[in-house]
Amino acid sequence: MLNNLIDRIRLPFRKEKELYLSIYHILGFFPKDISYYKQALMHKSIMRREKGKPINNERLEFLGDAILDAVVGDIVYHHFEGKREGFLTNTRSKIVQRETLNKLANELGITKLILSSGNNGSHNSYLGGNAFEALVGAVYLDQGYSACMRFMEKRILGQLIDIDKVAYKEVNFKSKLIEWSQKNRVDIEFRLLEQKKDQGGSPTFCYQVFIEGREGGVGSGYSKKESQQLASKLTLEKLRRKPQFIEAVFNAKANRTKMEEMPVENVPDTEQKEDFIITQSNTEEKAPRNKKSAKRRTENETEIPAEQPPTMDTDEVDEFDLSDITATPKNSREDIIAAAEEAAFASE
């Protein structure tokens, strides 16, 4: 029946008819514009150009990634009523993560339809997931958002994925390892051992976990996240299966905390020195004891001293005495001045 229906559709080549039928089996509906789906299945390794523009599935992959986040977020939001944002985010990420999309692409037969040069075998783990996202992007451009929603709701989450099981399945090994280290108050480090490119030019990363300086699992992958997840998984397995490893970790922690808690012998002095305060005793010590010492100090100074006023013999001049001048309430200001003048003239 399907073949008869396809025969009614005017397709110029037999391969296009086969692709048309394959897309129907994957999506559950017929494409309107087959060109979108052909591009979604074209890997960048056989990229060609039309009117100067590259033709491959990278742009559709970008679009499909955004559409998948929106569609799956919508489904998860309505399926788990009352659940918090963190739970919904984790559930969505488990469904749209690369490993899940790769399995879906293999299960649906998408991987077999991908056109590639065949020289990227070391990075085949990404081909299926990327093509799945690109295919969702093609559906969005060909038939709109509602068609993407139907595909994910009925074909994927309805038949291939148990949304309830995946929601409560813990797959974030790095998160579990960090949570364990925090509860036990042990230091943990993810150390990059190597970063290089494989034969196909794809970047690869190698990370190792260190707990209290002790070597944990080593993981390699085509992303930092992938390699750290694998290293975390192997470290958790090592902690569970090798008692000597976990014993070495806690012994190292005990030595570290013991060093941190050792007392400091030299306790800082709390007495405050007040030598910045000028007291009467300090002033007397600094003042010259007699005029002769002051004179000797002046003579020894290298700088030229300032001109001194003329000196007078104390026998010739009496000190100006104001002891007999008093200002009482009975005397006015004029009386005080007159009395002062009289005393001055009387002394001559």
Side-chain angles (χ1 to χ4, degrees), residues 264-278:
V264 180
E265 295 181 359
N266 298 327
V267 181
D269 188 7
T270 59
E271 182 180 356
Q272 297 181 357
K273 295 182 179 181
E274 298 181 349
D275 52 355
F276 58 88
I277 300 177
I278 301 175

Side-chain angles (χ1 to χ4, degrees), residues 19 32 36 46 64 96 105 126 160 177 186 206 242 246 293 303 316 328 333:
L19 178 60
K32 293 180 181 179
Y36 290 126
I46 57 168
V96 302
Y126 280 7
L160 299 178
L177 181 60
V186 296
C206 181
K242 295 185 177 181
I246 196 169
S293 63
E303 295 182 0
E316 295 180 357
T328 60
R333 183 171 180 273

Side-chain angles (χ1 to χ4, degrees), residues 196-322:
K196 61 181 182 179
K197 291 186 178 181
D198 64 2
Q199 296 179 353
S202 300
T204 61
F205 304 87
C206 181
Y207 272 87
Q208 184 172 15
V209 175
F210 287 84
I211 305 179
E212 290 291 346
R214 299 298 183 267
E215 295 183 357
V218 179
S220 298
Y222 288 98
S223 68
K224 294 180 180 180
K225 180 180 179 181
E226 181 183 355
S227 57
Q228 290 178 2
Q229 282 287 340
L230 179 57
S232 299
K233 179 182 178 181
L234 296 176
T235 303
L236 288 171
E237 292 176 352
K238 191 173 182 180
L239 287 168
R240 291 178 63 89
R241 298 175 183 176
K242 295 185 177 181
Q244 62 272 22
F245 175 63
I246 196 169
E247 183 179 357
V249 167
F250 282 103
N251 286 338
K253 175 195 172 183
N255 292 332
R256 173 179 60 81
T257 54
K258 181 179 179 181
M259 292 294 295
E260 291 177 353
E261 295 173 359
M262 288 182 65
V264 180
E265 295 181 359
N266 298 327
V267 181
D269 188 7
T270 59
E271 182 180 356
Q272 297 181 357
K273 295 182 179 181
E274 298 181 349
D275 52 355
F276 58 88
I277 300 177
I278 301 175
T279 61
Q280 185 67 24
S281 59
N282 292 338
T283 306
E284 292 176 354
E285 291 177 0
K286 293 181 180 179
R289 296 182 178 179
N290 50 49
K291 294 181 179 180
K292 292 183 180 180
S293 63
K295 182 178 180 180
R296 286 197 301 269
R297 186 184 62 182
T298 304
E299 291 174 353
N300 293 332
E301 290 178 353
T302 57
E303 295 182 0
I304 300 174
E307 185 178 355
Q308 300 294 326
T311 58
M312 296 183 182
D313 294 334
T314 55
D315 296 333
E316 295 180 357
V317 180
D318 295 330
E319 293 184 357
F320 188 62
D321 187 12
L322 300 179

